[in-house]
Amino acid sequence: MTILTTVAPATRRIRSFVHQMRTPAGAIAAIGTVLLVGLAIFAPVLWGAEAAEVNVDVIARGPSAEHLLGTDSAGRDILLRTLVAARTSLMYGMLATLIGVTLGVIVGCLPSILPPWIGRLVTAVVNMLVAFPALLLILFLAVFFGQGATGAVFALGLAIVPNIARLCQTMTASVVGRDFVSAAKVLGVPRTAILFRHIIPSIADVIVVNATMAAASSLTAMAGLSFLGIGLQAPAYDWGRLLSEGLARMYVSPAAALTPAIAVTLAGIVLTMLGDTIGRAVGVTPVISMRKLAGLPTRSAKPEPDRGEAPHPEAVLSVRDLHVSFPALGKWVTPVRGVSFDIARGERVGIVGESGSGKSLTALAVAQLIEYPGRVEADAIVFDGVDYAGMSEREVTSHAADLGLKMSMVFQDPMSSLNPSLRVGPQVAETALLHGGGIRTQASNQATDRLAEVGIQNPKMRARQYPFQFSGGMRQRAMIAMGLMGTPKLIIADEPTTALDATVQRTVMQVLDRVAVEHGSAVMFISHDIALVTGFCERVLVMYHGEIVEDISSADLVEGSAVHPYTKALMASIPTLTTDRSRPMATVADFMKEDKA
Amino acid sequence: MTSLEFRNLVVDFGRGPKTVHAVKNVSFIVPQGSTVGVLGESGSGKSTIARVAVGLEHATSGEILLDGHSLLQSNRAGRMHRRQVQMVFQDPYSSLNPRMTIGDSIAEGLHASYRKSKQRVPSRRQIEAETQELLSLVGLDSSYAAHYPRRLSGGQRQRVALARALGAKPSVLLADEITSALDVSVQGTVLNLFRKLQSELGFTALFISHNLAVVRYVCDYVAVMDKGDLVEFGPVDEILTAPKHPSTRALIEAVPEMGKPLFVPAHRGVAR
Amino acid sequence: MKNMISSAPPDSPDAVAVSEGPLQVDVVAQPATKAANTNPWVSYLTRRLIRLVISVVVLVTAAYLMVRLLPGDPARLSLGPEATAEQIAVRRAELGLDASVVTQYFHFWENLFHGDLGKSYSTRLPVFDVITQRLPATLEISVMSIIVILLVGIPLGMAMGEATRGGRNRWLDAIFSSVTGFLTVAPVFVIAAISIYMFAISSPVFPVAGRSGPSSYVLPVLALSLSSTCALARIVRAETFNVLEADYVRTARAKRMRKARLFFHHVLPNLVTPTLTFAGLLFGGLIAGSVFVETVFAWPGMGPVVVGSITNRDYPLVQGIVLVYGVLILLINLVVDLLIAAFDPRSRITKL
């Protein structure tokens, strides 16, 4: 069978590594590693004999021109001995890591090939061993192997096994749950092939990073065992032995102890930094280079948009030329560009658009919830008579009660938007407690009322429960109740029903509708579901690539009198219960093409 | 081609008092060459029946038959028949291995299906040619074979997932919410592709979705599931225009429809 | 009841919460009705204690097998190379080595209950006495270190998390990361050596060796706790970042509260579980650290005994140490689990 190459995009990798090497930490890690390896290879060859030379004339001297860091009890040069010891220290540490990581990966991957019950047994044993500290395992194993380098290396190696094995198991479990593994299973790809082609490449990065970290701790642990006299035995020596020899003469010549101590620490740090660097290069941490971020792009000096006029005096919300920018990979990206709109008192305005079109960011910017390092710029963000554009964090804080009571937010994912560690009642009540006088019982009574109002039965009992005891629909209702603690002039609802089933969505929408009517609140309703938006809102704003391309009444939109080609295309591409099945669906791509032609 | 039959299928998860009855005694037939839509809310068991059919979950009792042959046996015959049933998953961002090129992902499926069918595995060049063919079948340029998934949009990934499944030359294709993770503007292209492929290749299909309009557009029949029960089955127009079961009716009413207000607007003075 | 809330398969989170028709109320399992009969803590404790007992049995068996599986005759080993065959035979009978393995195993248990861990090969002293005499000194510095680690590590980590989130105060971030990074990696014996140099040689402030008076505790506790404190601070900072990025913190910010309240009321409770979990792991490491610290500072604790037991191949002593430390670790894990259960509502209600 031909071998399918599974190497990840090599060029991207190399570029990423090069990028990391240019960061200070990456550069130190790289240079340090080269130095360490170089020392381990060449130091014994260059200075091995000299370092072993006993000189009775200069026993235990302090630093001198001839012996930069002094001599030890046999008159041997401490600096040279420390340099030469790099090989033994590094070698035994690496050997232990190699043993530990190899066995750990094997043990960790076994459960995915073995029959399930044996796999579970292996997992259970590993979990048990992980709970025990490495020292006990080493102690245990040292009895088997006896004292000496071989025993210590094996003991250290085996002590790494449970951690690496467990890491492999959890990582494997997460990969196995992904659809591409299911797809391979369905296609009939054999288990071993799935392991080697899908699972191992997916977890390799994490294993490599952790193996490097394990190497750092093996190195120091090996030195530790030698330090205690149960690792390397004389006449062999490593940093641990040098340190223990030097410790006794600490008062006479501190360098004898401090030099190997610093050596082992530096080596450990270099390896840890190497692990960090590899992790960053292959992985997840976004790189924000602040130096390149000095200049925030100035807003394009394009001709004033149509609604470039002054903020609407009657509107509950009036936004002019809103920009939201974020730093990404050393550049500023501006996902919201020049958005202007008004929402009249009591009006319901929907914002629709694709994912990434900037609708949620617009809402967060309006609510003053964009956090550093994101930046908001606007000519005006007037909410209920107060212009928040350009306000400092402190100035916004001085309007906290206004915002807290008059603007309410209903966020997208009810599963993650409620604090899992706090009871629902106090979370709902909090706004009233903060801005409405602050009497606890009154606030909590009000919260119970509001929970009842959004259709949660037995609200007293429910208020004492935690969010995870609520279903998705109930959490979303609780979110709405939370927004009703004041008398909201504006409810900003960001995809409030996206995670919910249609029937639950319907009830949540009914709650929102009733609440808005009763309190006379305006609603800014963000959704990707145009049928839902047009059914609920009076007016619709269509966003496309960070701009509002269409501002149209729901009735006109449904009727088909949209002007912008994107809106037209979008409307045509939505299947309805009257779509002509004999013809292919119209797609946005078709429309955009026509428009260009 | 082939018909797919679910016969008294029961699927339970867990044991003892904690058992979750995901599928309770479901029976229906997907007639040869047709597309049956499965409608239902989350937790209705609609995805579970598909996952059981391809062997990703185990049935507690009952049968799934492909032209009368059981798909649930763990012997070689069962595996042989299961191979004819392929599945496309909901999340296009999770269904392609980010570390394999598009070409490799598709080729892997081709290899597996050749080996399973006891045919001689063709040469590398032949596999490459077949991969190209599959890519053009789903409307992607042959240059995509060398790309990694990260460069593809959700819609393009879903095309690749279709190509990979079709590489096994399935007689039945199970599509599990294949458009629900996509933006509306892309949904249409994937639906068009699905319909085109079915008319060209003639496979039998199970199309799982929670979207009424999509099911109506793609399917001939529809099965409505609610909390593990099959509550209604019939031609799509019949069910959607004149639902008999209350669950079906509730489901249909709940879905917002373009041009209709969601509900009679609430009025001031509703009792608190 | 707990299962309906927490462990339904992914396909059906809302399975029990679907409502039909307008404004019908979701039906979710009503907790605290059935469970009221049996206190959830009782059943949780029972299960947790059963697990503890199983772990102890496994530990004891492993410790027993460790010595049994060794090559060589324990009787000969305990007498040394010059022993005569007769002496060995007598010792064999003494140690009960002539009985069957099963009998010996039960005998081992019986002895354990009497506090009999056998006699040290090297000193001929009862292992139990050696350990009870030495352990308190080790526990002293360990417990003090735990207190230092928690009292410094957690607040430091949280403060740094708040101060450096989202790329704020990059200089502070760099300083914190490098200093704690350095100290986390530096092995205990290195920190011990450097602290001797700094506080006893360069400027003799604290005594370097032995246990005499309060000031003699300073350096050992410092050396033992420094690395772990930094490690904990780093973990707490990372967890603080995670929590600050969570959706529910955004929800809280939308309520416009003071930063202090946001932090203590909304962020802090969510840091408890990860912090305690990690701290539990650190305490295991303290036992290893104490061996080094005691060696460097000539502290009259278990450290020298541990080292001696290995260099002398003193199997009964090693066995005793493994047993005592093993049980200690199991107890620490138990305490951590109970603390997490007490603080974290999710684990309290779903696991209990």
Side-chain angles (χ1 to χ4, degrees), chain C residues 218-230:
Chain C
V218 174
L219 289 186
V221 171
L222 177 77
L224 191 51
S225 57
L226 197 55
S227 270
S228 303
T229 307
C230 291

Side-chain angles (χ1 to χ4, degrees), chain A residues 128 131-133 135-136 139-140 142-147 220 223-224 227-230 243 247 250-251 254 258 261 264-265 268-269 272 288 290 364 367-369 371-373 393 400 403-404 407 409 411 416-422 427 430-431 433-435 455 457 461-462 465-466 468-469 471-474 477 479 482 503 507 510-511 514, chain C residues 5 14 17-19 21-26 28-31 55 58-59 62-63 66 70 165-168 170 182 185-187 189-190 193-194 196-197 200-201 208 247-248 250-251 253-257 259 261 265-266 269-270 284-285 287-288 291-292 295-296 306-307 310-311 313 315 318 321-322 325-326 329-330 333 345-346 348-350:
Chain A
M128 197 152 180
F132 275 82
L135 178 82
L136 275 194
L139 210 61
F140 211 100
V143 172
F144 283 91
F145 294 114
Q147 69 192 102
T220 53
F227 173 78
L228 293 175
I230 46 185
L243 176 53
L247 200 64
M250 194 89 177
Y251 286 95
L258 293 183
V264 70
T265 310
I269 286 171
T272 309
I288 305 175
M290 289 313 268
L364 288 176
Q368 305 298 314
L369 289 174
E371 275 219 279
Y372 183 92
E393 212 171 310
L403 285 170
M407 181 191 283
M409 303 283 300
F411 290 108
S416 60
S417 293
L418 290 174
N419 194 324
S421 301
L422 303 179
Q427 288 196 61
E430 199 170 13
T431 310
L433 199 62
L434 288 166
H435 311 296
Q457 275 196 348
M461 186 270 283
R462 285 295 182 184
Q465 290 187 332
Y466 290 94
F468 65 91
Q469 292 166 296
S471 70
M474 283 176 53
R477 290 173 196 216
M479 280 289 287
M482 198 183 288
T503 50
T507 62
Q510 271 164 331
V511 170
R514 208 188 41 181
Chain C
I5 297 164
D14 268 355
V18 176
S19 59
L23 271 185
Q24 263 194 14
V25 171
D26 303 339
V28 160
Q30 304 278 319
S55 306
V58 171
L59 177 73
M66 170 178 83
L70 280 174
R165 75 201 159 103
R168 292 169 171 81
R170 302 190 73 83
F182 183 89
V185 174
F189 53 92
V190 167
I194 292 175
I196 285 187
Y197 177 70
I201 297 177
V208 204
D247 286 350
Y248 56 79
R250 192 184 53 192
T251 309
R253 287 201 295 122
K255 292 179 194 167
R256 327 283 166 180
M257 60 190 73
K259 270 207 173 129
R261 182 179 171 89
H265 197 66
H266 289 268
N270 293 292
I287 288 179
V291 174
F292 293 103
T295 306
V296 174
V306 171
V307 176
I310 297 176
T311 35
R313 292 203 141 195
Y315 298 147
V318 171
I321 293 168
V322 167
Y325 277 173
I329 302 266
L330 290 174
N333 288 345
R346 270 162 299 180
R348 181 158 70 236
I349 294 173
T350 54

Side-chain angles (χ1 to χ4, degrees), chain A residues 222-515:
Chain A
M222 187 67 203
L225 291 182
S226 297
F227 173 78
L228 293 175
I230 46 185
L232 241 64
Q233 303 295 317
Y237 59 97
D238 65 355
W239 290 326
R241 278 194 64 84
L242 289 180
L243 176 53
S244 81
E245 286 165 12
L247 200 64
R249 302 184 304 109
M250 194 89 177
Y251 286 95
V252 192
S253 87
L258 293 183
T259 313
I262 288 166
V264 70
T265 310
L266 284 183
I269 286 171
V270 162
L271 285 175
T272 309
M273 285 174 83
L274 181 68
D276 274 340
T277 307
I278 296 174
R280 274 200 305 273
V282 297
V284 276
T285 346
V287 193
I288 305 175
S289 166
M290 289 313 268
R291 253 180 311 162
K292 291 186 191 162
L293 288 179
L296 180 67
T298 46
R299 280 186 268 155
S300 51
K302 62 178 179 183
E304 284 292 285
D306 297 345
R307 285 171 308 282
E309 72 268 16
H312 200 287
E314 292 299 305
V316 68
L317 178 69
S318 197
V319 175
R320 291 292 175 273
D321 204 17
L322 172 72
H323 290 251
V324 181
S325 311
F326 284 94
L329 291 164
K331 282 185 299 204
W332 282 94
V333 289
T334 308
V336 177
R337 293 173 294 192
V339 164
S340 303
F341 63 95
D342 294 310
I343 297 180
R345 291 179 191 276
E347 190 189 19
R348 295 175 186 184
V349 176
I351 302 186
V352 299
E354 296 177 18
S355 46
S357 60
K359 19 185 224 308
S360 291
L361 286 175
T362 302
L364 288 176
V366 163
Q368 305 298 314
L369 289 174
I370 300 277
E371 275 219 279
Y372 183 92
R375 295 215 193 155
V376 178
E377 293 196 316
D379 288 347
I381 304 175
V382 181
F383 170 66
D384 199 33
V386 180
D387 189 349
Y388 292 91
M391 268 194 193
S392 70
E393 212 171 310
R394 186 162 302 166
E395 286 170 300
V396 173
T397 315
S398 70
H399 291 278
D402 268 2
L403 285 170
L405 291 173
K406 292 180 189 163
M407 181 191 283
S408 84
M409 303 283 300
V410 181
F411 290 108
Q412 177 164 11
D413 187 353
M415 297 295 168
S416 60
S417 293
L418 290 174
N419 194 324
S421 301
L422 303 179
R423 293 173 199 273
V424 172
Q427 288 196 61
V428 173
E430 199 170 13
T431 310
L433 199 62
L434 288 166
H435 311 296
I439 301 156
R440 194 171 293 272
T441 48
Q442 200 183 321
S444 80
N445 284 341
Q446 199 190 346
T448 316
D449 289 351
R450 293 297 189 257
L451 286 172
E453 201 176 314
V454 295
I456 288 177
Q457 275 196 348
N458 205 349
K460 271 215 155 114
M461 186 270 283
R462 285 295 182 184
R464 283 196 303 273
Q465 290 187 332
Y466 290 94
F468 65 91
Q469 292 166 296
F470 277 44
S471 70
M474 283 176 53
R475 290 182 207 200
Q476 203 54 283
R477 290 173 196 216
M479 280 289 287
I480 295 175
M482 198 183 288
L484 292 180
M485 293 304 286
T487 42
K489 301 217 164 144
L490 175 65
I491 300 173
I492 300 178
D494 184 1
E495 304 256 10
T497 60
T498 303
L500 307 175
D501 275 326
T503 50
V504 185
Q505 164 175 293
R506 188 180 176 78
T507 62
V508 169
M509 292 307 294
Q510 271 164 331
V511 170
L512 191 61
D513 175 58
R514 208 188 41 181
V515 158

